[in-house]
Amino acid sequence: MLRDLHLKTPDSIDATLALLQSQGYVADRALATVLFLALRMKRPLLLEGEAGTGKTEIAKVLSAGLGRRLIRLQCYEGLDLASAVYEWNYAGQMMAIRLAEAGGATGDRERLEADIFSEKYLVKRPLLQALEPQDGGAPILLIDELDRTDEAFEAFLLEVLADSQVTIPELGTIKAAEPPIVILTSNRTREIHDALKRRCLYHWVGYPDAARELAILKARAPDAPAKLAKQVVAFVQAIRKEELFKAPGVAETLDWASALVELDAVALDPAIVSDTLGALLKYQDDIQAMQGSKVRELLDQVKAEARG
């Protein structure tokens, strides 16, 4: 069954769960359901949630599981069409013009203009690449951290998401023969516009409960001893309830567990937790707040719950 999943999109929610699990991604049924619907309905999927909860990983897992090419557009403030869609090879165009002038062929301006504004001089960026035919089926287009861009870029995306096409003034409209599988992520540092959300299916990727986080840890960090893995998950679950500037995500849980394994730890104690908090927390104020008696308090809570 899993072999077939690598050749085609899953035909049920259970098959979608199996596809994710085959790539080491431990998902809940709600995520598998919306992912299955996005694939079946050929709709973009917008994933929102805190950083480090596994949103980006979903696109990577789909790419590996379906055998499709992953095309990633990493968003940032000031992202423009030249970086996201296309730009012209101006150096190549200038060279063509100078060669035409040297050869005395500048009289046929229309022919020269058609030549320098042809695909030969078009530099294709991720969004345009995703509309091209691909070996093995439509690619996975990951538009990562969309909330880092501005509303003007969101407005441009509407054409891409609604019609799987982009318009280049010099060439016309380029439309995908087969729409890419589009995954958008947002850490919700700002609200995404309603017009874009309406074109997508939506899912909030939250922190996992203890049981699922332990399953994730076992899948991604199998070298962690069983006792240590349980204590790590229980400690992370407890620390997320504290008033922190940035609670640790699943990515930080995995980093911390891996760091503890490198130190040959088999269980948590106050000293090793204090010494390795930089793998779990990324702000000095948060680390400072957890030092000393607070670490001991949380560890005592974790051990008491384990005994209970």
Side-chain angles (χ1 to χ4, degrees):
M1 182 179 182
L2 291 179
R3 184 179 179 183
D4 290 339
L5 291 175
H6 286 259
L7 302 177
K8 61 181 181 180
T9 56
D11 57 4
S12 68
I13 297 170
D14 289 336
T16 306
L17 272 171
L19 171 64
L20 296 173
Q21 290 169 0
S22 73
Q23 300 300 317
Y25 192 98
V26 182
D28 58 20
R29 192 168 184 84
L31 173 58
T33 299
V34 74
L35 186 55
F36 167 70
L37 290 173
L39 294 172
R40 178 59 64 91
M41 299 167 64
K42 301 186 184 300
R43 293 280 298 279
L45 176 59
L46 172 60
L47 301 171
E48 282 195 321
E50 298 291 341
T53 51
K55 303 182 297 297
T56 300
E57 192 67 18
I58 292 170
K60 295 179 180 179
V61 164
L62 274 182
S63 173
L66 297 176
R68 308 288 183 95
R69 179 187 175 192
L70 175 64
I71 298 175
R72 180 174 181 173
L73 174 62
Q74 179 61 54
C75 298
Y76 54 87
E77 186 177 353
L79 179 66
D80 58 11
L81 297 186
S83 299
V85 190
Y86 76 97
E87 64 179 334
W88 292 105
N89 180 356
Y90 296 115
Q93 288 174 321
M94 289 301 300
M95 181 65 71
I97 292 171
R98 288 173 181 172
L99 288 173
E101 289 174 344
T106 55
D108 191 350
R109 291 184 177 274
E110 289 186 3
R111 182 177 178 181
L112 178 60
E113 183 177 348
D115 179 60
I116 64 173
F117 287 110
S118 64
E119 286 201 33
K120 179 168 59 174
Y121 297 102
L122 186 66
V123 181
K124 299 174 182 179
R125 300 304 186 194
L127 292 184
L128 189 54
Q129 292 172 17
L131 301 181
E132 294 183 312
Q134 307 284 333
D135 292 335
I140 311 295
L141 172 60
L142 170 61
I143 303 176
D144 210 12
E145 297 184 319
L146 178 62
D147 52 319
R148 291 180 177 270
T149 64
D150 55 27
E151 292 186 0
F153 184 75
E154 272 190 51
F156 170 79
L157 278 182
L158 297 181
E159 181 184 19
V160 178
L161 298 181
D163 301 315
S164 297
Q165 66 182 35
V166 296
T167 300
I168 300 175
E170 298 86 354
L171 287 178
T173 299
I174 297 177
K175 186 176 179 64
E178 182 181 0
I181 298 170
V182 183
I183 305 291
L184 304 97
T185 75
S186 167
N187 295 332
R188 211 175 182 182
T189 57
R190 69 170 179 83
E191 284 292 335
I192 304 300
H193 198 278
D194 286 346
L196 188 142
K197 283 188 172 182
R198 285 197 302 270
R199 287 161 172 78
C200 304
L201 299 184
Y202 176 87
H203 186 74
W204 175 265
V205 183
Y207 296 121
D209 59 21
R212 189 155 67 89
E213 190 157 24
L214 182 58
I216 294 170
L217 183 52
K218 288 179 178 179
R220 292 304 180 99
D223 293 336
K227 180 179 180 181
L228 177 66
K230 290 179 180 178
Q231 289 184 346
V232 163
V233 169
F235 188 88
V236 172
Q237 292 279 326
I239 208 173
R240 286 189 186 127
K241 298 175 183 177
E242 301 295 320
E243 293 184 3
L244 299 174
F245 181 77
K246 175 63 179 72
V250 178
E252 284 73 35
T253 303
L254 297 175
D255 283 346
W256 191 37
S258 298
L260 292 168
V261 169
E262 291 295 329
L263 296 174
D264 297 321
V266 294
L268 295 182
D269 61 61
I272 199 167
V273 171
S274 296
D275 291 344
T276 57
L277 274 178
L280 185 64
L281 302 174
K282 306 303 180 181
Y283 290 88
Q284 175 58 25
D285 290 347
D286 289 344
I287 293 175
Q288 192 66 36
M290 291 297 110
Q291 293 286 3
S293 60
K294 191 62 181 178
V295 164
R296 290 187 176 86
E297 177 187 328
L298 290 177
L299 275 178
D300 289 342
Q301 176 185 328
V302 166
K303 292 175 181 178
E305 290 177 356
R307 288 193 300 269

